[in-house]
Amino acid sequence: FQAPEPNTTPADEPHRLTPAVQALLAINDAVMFVQATVFSDTSRAMAFDATALPAHWFTALTYMFAHAGVWHLLANMYGLFLFGPRVERTFGTKKFTWFYLLCGLGGVVFQMLFIRTGVLIGSSAAVFGVMTAYAMQWRDDEVYLMFVLPMRVRTLVIGLVVFNLAIGVAATGAGDAANIAYLA
C-alpha cells in the first residue's frame, strides 16, 4: 500500500477496506455475534476490570473486541470504517495494527491510573486513537455527522472527545452509578 499524495482527499482514494481494518471489523462483528447468540457472558469474560488482575491479565487486549451492545459496536466500527483505511494506507498494515492495539492498551493504562473502578469494554480507545491520527494528518477534510451535517474532521474529533469527557465526568459522580469507563 502506498501513502496518499499530500493534497488528496478521501474521495480521491479507492473505496475499499484495507486488510487490518477489514480484519478488525470482522473480529469485532464475530465477537458480537458470539455475545448475542452462543455465549451471552462473553462481554463479562472479555472486559477489563482492574480488580480481576493479575488472573485476567489477557483482558487488557480482549476488552477492545467485545462491546456493551449493538449500538456501541456500530458507533465504534463506523469510526474505524470511516477513518481507519486512510490511516492504514499511510502507516502500512503492520504499523497500523500495532498503533491500533497500543491505543487500546492506552485505554487500559488510563483506566488503571485515573479511574480504577468500573469495567472497560469496547474499542473506543483504539478507534479514538485512529480518529486522532486522521485528524492530525487531514484536519480540514470534511465529513458528515449523522450523514447530514458537514463538518471538518478536527471539529468532529474534538467534539467527540469533549462529549466523552463530559459524559465520563458526569458518570463518575454520584457514587459511580454508571460504572462505564467513558474517560478511557
Side-chain angles (χ1 to χ4, degrees), residues 96-165:
F96 174 82
T97 303
W98 280 109
F99 176 75
Y100 182 88
L101 293 173
L102 286 174
C103 288
L105 289 173
V108 169
V109 169
F110 193 93
Q111 176 82 356
M112 295 284 294
L113 290 175
F114 299 107
I115 309 298
R116 297 193 183 102
T117 60
V119 174
L120 186 58
I121 190 166
S123 58
S124 298
V127 172
F128 265 94
V130 171
M131 287 175 20
T132 301
Y134 189 103
M136 291 175 70
Q137 183 69 32
W138 302 285
R139 65 181 56 88
D140 292 324
D141 280 1
E142 192 173 80
V143 294
Y144 289 88
L145 179 63
M146 302 293 190
F147 305 104
V148 177
L149 181 65
M151 61 180 18
R152 291 200 167 127
V153 168
R154 75 170 157 224
T155 305
L156 175 65
V157 172
I158 290 170
L160 288 172
V161 168
V162 169
F163 178 75
N164 271 280
L165 288 174

Side-chain angles (χ1 to χ4, degrees), residues 35 42-53 56 58-68 72 76 101-113 115-126 128 164 178-184:
Q35 281 179 254
T42 304
S43 60
R44 182 174 298 166
M46 295 178 75
F48 177 79
D49 184 357
T51 61
L53 292 176
H56 293 260
F58 56 88
T59 61
L61 285 173
T62 61
Y63 89 93
M64 64 183 102
F65 299 105
H67 288 81
H72 186 208
N76 281 324
L101 293 173
L102 286 174
C103 288
L105 289 173
V108 169
V109 169
F110 193 93
Q111 176 82 356
M112 295 284 294
L113 290 175
I115 309 298
R116 297 193 183 102
T117 60
V119 174
L120 186 58
I121 190 166
S123 58
S124 298
F128 265 94
N164 271 280
N179 203 28
I180 297 172
Y182 286 104
L183 297 175

Side-chain angles (χ1 to χ4, degrees), residues 1-3 18-20 84-99:
F1 295 93
Q2 189 174 358
T18 51
R86 192 166 186 200
V87 174
E88 183 180 343
R89 281 192 286 277
T90 301
F91 284 11
T93 299
K94 186 175 181 179
K95 186 176 177 184
F96 174 82
T97 303
W98 280 109
F99 176 75

